[in-house]
Amino acid sequence: QEQRLFRRLSVFTGNCPLAAVEALYVALGDGEASVLDGVASLLDKSLLQRRERKGEELRLRLLETVREYGLEVLAASGEMEATQHAHAAYYLRMAEEAERELEGPQQVVWLERLENDFDNLRAAMRWSLEQARAEEAENSTGTGGELALRFGGALQQFWIIRGHVTEGRTFLEEALASSKTIKTPGRAKALKAVARLALVQGDYQRGEVQCEESLALFRELGDIKGEAFSLYLLGIVASRKGNSATARELSEEALLLSKSANDRQLVASSLFQLAHIASHQGKYTSARDLFAENLALNRELGNKRGIVQSLFSLAQVLVVSQIDHETVPELLEEGLALSRELGFKEGIATWLSLSGQVTLASGDALAARSLIEESLALFKEIGHRHGTAASLALLARVAAHQGEFTAAGALYEESLAITREIGDQLNAASCLEGMAGVAVAQGNPAWAARLLGTAEALRDTIGTAIPPSERPLYERLVAATRAQLGERTCTLAWIEGRSMTPEQAVASQWLAMLSTPTLKGQPSMTDAKPSPRYPAGLTAREVEVLRLVARGLTDGQVAEQLVISPRTVNTHLTSIYNKLGVDSRTAATRFAVEHRLV
């Protein structure tokens, strides 16, 4: 009996609760009566170790080398498959029980329980996935595929809260690929789960496809709750893409279905999405009221993660609308406390980002930079691309506030690159407006006008206006652009920008710099006379090389123009880079433009 217990214990990875061992024995038809005596005996023989902390259940573990031997004898006994199946079934029951609790008042308790057993959950999921692959390869029916799908559907909330989004998404993609013939509620739920994780990471294209597939399967199965949730997710996709009308329609349909199914949590989620749509459309009073209703419902349900998201979204609306600044600190404070209690990484990153915004608005750029850099690191860690893009744009705003315009421009470009991938047009418009401010500060009002025109066209398309908190700065920027360019030239550049894509507007930078004046009444940069003393200690010859490089010439073309060898050009460029403290042609070109060397 002790030998049987010993080899069966080897199926557990890391440590496990005594209840799991007893459940394993029951599943294998042996009852649990002999387990306790056997455990005591193995503990006495030092083959088994115990961990018992105050307020926690007894947990057991085998040393890894001992466990490896146990697995060998388990395989030799012919009991491996049955034992692994019983192990997976136990942890699937745990995951599905946890799923029901993770949106209620026992959220923290169950998050810790899943975290404590995460090694065993992973082992069980790996086994179910191996079974699913084998069944798919042999074109046979079995339980592995369904087990894997059910694991993925049950653990989605845990993965999101604890920042295991990439791991969860990878598992779900593999589980779905290994069980294509299954058309069950488990598959529909897994599709919904993987779509949700894709949206968390900003992969709206893939997420939309998976949402549509889950919606079709839920409708086929007659699952109204599942259908409502898929519509809710599709509403998020439409909102992120800037299609507010479609987003509202989908979210309202999800709200009606969730009410008919008496799914109060989904009612809260639908209200949350409708509040976001209202905020994007500039209907801040409506957004505030909807977020408040959503917050009250989450408090009734005891859903702490939902409360966190409601608190931070409400705070964001109050910040951008300037409706009620006094309430913001207490909203942020409560949201942070709950995020820490839950171990909710996305919540902590959001708090850092919002606090950075508030701190920057108060004039403390140094403290704001520190907060936003932390938020950026955390968003990157959990693979949250929307949050990453937003934090980069905020960091760019801080850099511009501190007069670091080259750095600000680079950060805006990085944010735009992510924004282009995920299709977030609202952040794209905001980044273009920020870059326009950098362009004016660097003496390039023509480029600024194009950027502003492109941003305006984007805002018209998605139906959103400049928020009240940003309007004074925006109006000063527009006034400065018009003053530097002149009314007619500014209007022409602005109209040109309205017909451009964001990529085209950004790429028009150097053309604008070389072809238009920086200040009204001043000569164009192309006519600027060189100063007898050049910046950064550059020699006259180095300035000649830099000017040609700034115009886009290759080393070979520069050599032809100056009648020198390409090797000599390379030597000059190395010296130029060292003097300017840069490492690329783009950075050197920016320096040349900023110092009116071209």
Side-chain angles (χ1 to χ4, degrees):
Q1 288 180 352
E2 286 181 28
Q3 289 173 0
R4 183 187 304 118
L5 173 61
F6 169 73
R7 62 179 178 260
R8 286 177 177 176
L9 280 167
S10 69
V11 79
F12 292 96
T13 303
N15 58 62
C16 68
L18 176 62
V21 183
E22 292 172 338
L24 187 76
Y25 260 67
V26 170
L28 292 171
D30 291 337
E32 58 184 65
S34 61
V35 171
L36 208 53
D37 290 341
V39 164
S41 180
L42 292 177
L43 286 168
D44 288 341
K45 295 178 173 66
S46 299
L47 287 170
L48 190 61
Q49 296 181 324
R50 65 187 291 162
R51 193 192 80 182
E52 196 168 8
R53 295 175 182 170
K54 188 176 181 181
E56 290 186 4
E57 58 187 337
L58 172 66
R59 299 187 72 85
L60 307 166
R61 65 166 296 175
L62 295 171
L63 289 173
E64 192 56 35
T65 50
V66 175
R67 176 175 176 267
E68 287 175 7
Y69 171 69
L71 286 170
E72 289 178 16
V73 293
L74 181 63
S77 72
E79 297 177 344
M80 177 69 85
E81 185 176 349
T83 306
Q84 286 183 315
H85 190 281
H87 175 268
Y90 172 80
Y91 280 102
L92 178 60
R93 287 196 300 275
M94 173 188 280
E96 291 183 332
E97 186 178 356
E99 181 190 15
R100 293 189 290 272
E101 300 290 344
L102 284 182
E103 291 183 336
Q106 294 299 308
Q107 209 168 35
V108 176
V109 172
W110 277 93
L111 284 169
E112 287 306 309
R113 190 168 294 176
L114 290 175
E115 199 73 66
N116 285 337
D117 278 286
F118 202 17
D119 287 340
N120 279 298
L121 282 163
R122 282 181 171 132
M125 290 190 307
R126 279 196 302 272
W127 180 81
S128 69
L129 199 55
E130 288 166 5
Q131 297 298 110
R133 288 169 180 158
E135 291 162 7
E136 187 81 5
E138 296 168 5
N139 197 25
S140 61
T141 56
T143 59
E146 184 66 18
L147 281 174
L149 293 172
R150 287 172 62 187
F151 265 120
L155 288 170
Q156 57 172 312
Q157 187 86 315
F158 169 70
W159 282 323
I160 290 171
I161 294 174
R162 287 299 171 96
H164 304 299
V165 179
T166 299
E167 179 179 351
R169 192 177 170 197
T170 300
F171 173 80
L172 275 162
E173 294 277 12
E174 292 178 359
L176 287 162
S178 301
S179 52
K180 294 174 185 174
T181 58
I182 296 177
K183 300 292 181 184
T184 62
R187 182 175 185 82
K189 191 173 175 181
L191 282 165
K192 177 192 74 174
V194 75
R196 190 179 182 191
L197 297 180
L199 300 192
V200 168
Q201 293 193 318
D203 190 351
Y204 301 118
Q205 184 175 356
R206 180 66 178 155
E208 185 174 22
V209 171
Q210 291 161 334
C211 280
E212 294 283 5
E213 192 176 344
S214 72
L215 177 61
L217 188 49
F218 277 128
R219 282 175 171 166
E220 185 181 330
L221 296 166
D223 186 333
I224 295 177
K225 288 186 179 182
E227 180 183 350
F229 203 99
S230 294
L231 288 167
Y232 157 71
L233 292 178
L234 286 168
I236 294 175
V237 173
S239 179
R240 292 296 190 202
K241 288 185 172 182
N243 194 338
S244 297
T246 302
R248 175 174 288 280
E249 182 182 334
L250 290 164
S251 300
E252 286 176 346
E253 188 178 354
L255 179 61
L256 287 173
L257 284 175
S258 57
K259 284 180 176 178
S260 70
N262 197 29
D263 188 337
R264 298 178 73 213
Q265 185 55 63
L266 189 50
V267 168
S269 297
S270 299
L271 288 169
F272 182 78
Q273 181 56 23
L274 286 167
H276 267 295
I277 295 166
S279 177
H280 292 164
Q281 293 178 322
K283 301 174 182 177
Y284 298 112
T285 302
S286 176
R288 179 197 60 189
D289 294 344
L290 285 166
F291 277 131
E293 187 179 352
N294 163 258
L295 176 59
L297 187 49
N298 275 317
R299 288 194 193 280
E300 285 179 31
L301 295 167
N303 183 352
K304 292 183 179 180
R305 176 178 174 268
I307 293 170
V308 168
Q309 292 182 311
S310 304
L311 290 167
F312 288 155
S313 295
L314 181 56
Q316 178 71 41
V317 165
L318 297 181
V319 167
V320 300
S321 66
Q322 300 185 318
I323 292 176
D324 180 10
H325 278 297
E326 289 72 22
T327 309
V328 172
E330 63 185 69
L331 295 174
L332 294 180
E333 184 178 351
E334 184 184 356
L336 176 62
L338 287 174
S339 294
R340 285 175 171 165
E341 183 183 351
L342 292 167
F344 185 23
K345 291 184 178 181
E346 181 186 333
I348 295 169
T350 303
W351 176 84
L352 288 163
S353 177
L354 280 169
S355 298
Q357 278 183 258
V358 173
T359 304
L360 181 62
S362 71
D364 191 345
L366 284 175
R369 180 190 287 272
S370 177
L371 288 163
I372 297 165
E373 284 176 343
E374 281 189 66
S375 79
L376 177 61
L378 200 45
F379 278 129
K380 284 183 175 180
E381 179 187 324
I382 61 178
H384 197 298
R385 294 201 294 167
H386 178 77
T388 299
S391 291
L392 284 166
L394 276 175
L395 207 52
R397 190 183 300 180
V398 173
H401 181 84
Q402 294 180 310
E404 300 171 6
F405 299 115
T406 300
L411 287 164
Y412 277 127
E413 287 185 30
E414 190 177 351
S415 179
L416 272 171
I418 299 172
T419 296
R420 181 168 59 250
E421 291 173 7
I422 64 179
D424 185 353
Q425 295 192 67
L426 180 58
N427 190 58
S430 182
C431 283
L432 290 170
E433 289 153 1
M435 290 184 78
V438 171
V440 166
Q442 291 182 319
N444 194 343
W447 186 36
R450 288 189 181 92
L451 291 166
L452 290 169
T454 306
E456 183 183 66
L458 267 180
R459 287 190 179 276
D460 288 347
T461 299
I462 61 180
T464 185
I466 307 289
S469 62
E470 297 176 19
R471 181 153 289 282
L473 180 62
Y474 178 81
E475 290 174 349
R476 289 197 298 273
L477 169 60
V478 172
T481 304
R482 292 190 183 281
Q484 291 183 26
L485 272 182
E487 189 69 30
R488 182 175 179 281
T489 306
C490 181
T491 300
L492 289 173
W494 194 295
I495 292 171
E496 188 179 352
R498 283 189 62 88
S499 65
M500 291 180 169
T501 65
E503 295 76 32
Q504 290 169 335
V506 171
S508 70
Q509 175 183 11
W510 304 119
L511 172 65
M513 287 298 282
L514 296 172
S515 62
T516 61
T518 55
L519 294 172
K520 191 175 180 181
Q522 289 193 357
S524 70
M525 292 182 182
T526 51
D527 297 331
K529 296 294 188 288
S531 168
R533 296 178 62 188
Y534 299 106
L538 295 173
T539 65
R541 194 57 157 175
E542 287 169 347
V543 169
E544 286 180 318
V545 171
L546 181 55
R547 282 177 177 156
L548 294 173
V549 167
R551 293 180 184 276
L553 274 64
T554 65
D555 286 4
Q557 291 168 331
V558 172
E560 285 182 16
Q561 287 273 344
L562 299 180
V563 196
I564 56 178
S565 71
R567 184 187 295 273
T568 303
V569 172
N570 187 264
T571 301
H572 283 311
L573 278 175
T574 300
S575 176
I576 291 167
Y577 289 174
N578 288 336
K579 289 179 179 180
L580 303 187
V582 301
D583 59 4
S584 70
R585 298 173 91 88
T586 300
T589 301
R590 284 180 175 165
F591 179 92
V593 171
E594 290 168 3
H595 290 80
R596 301 188 185 180
L597 297 177
V598 291

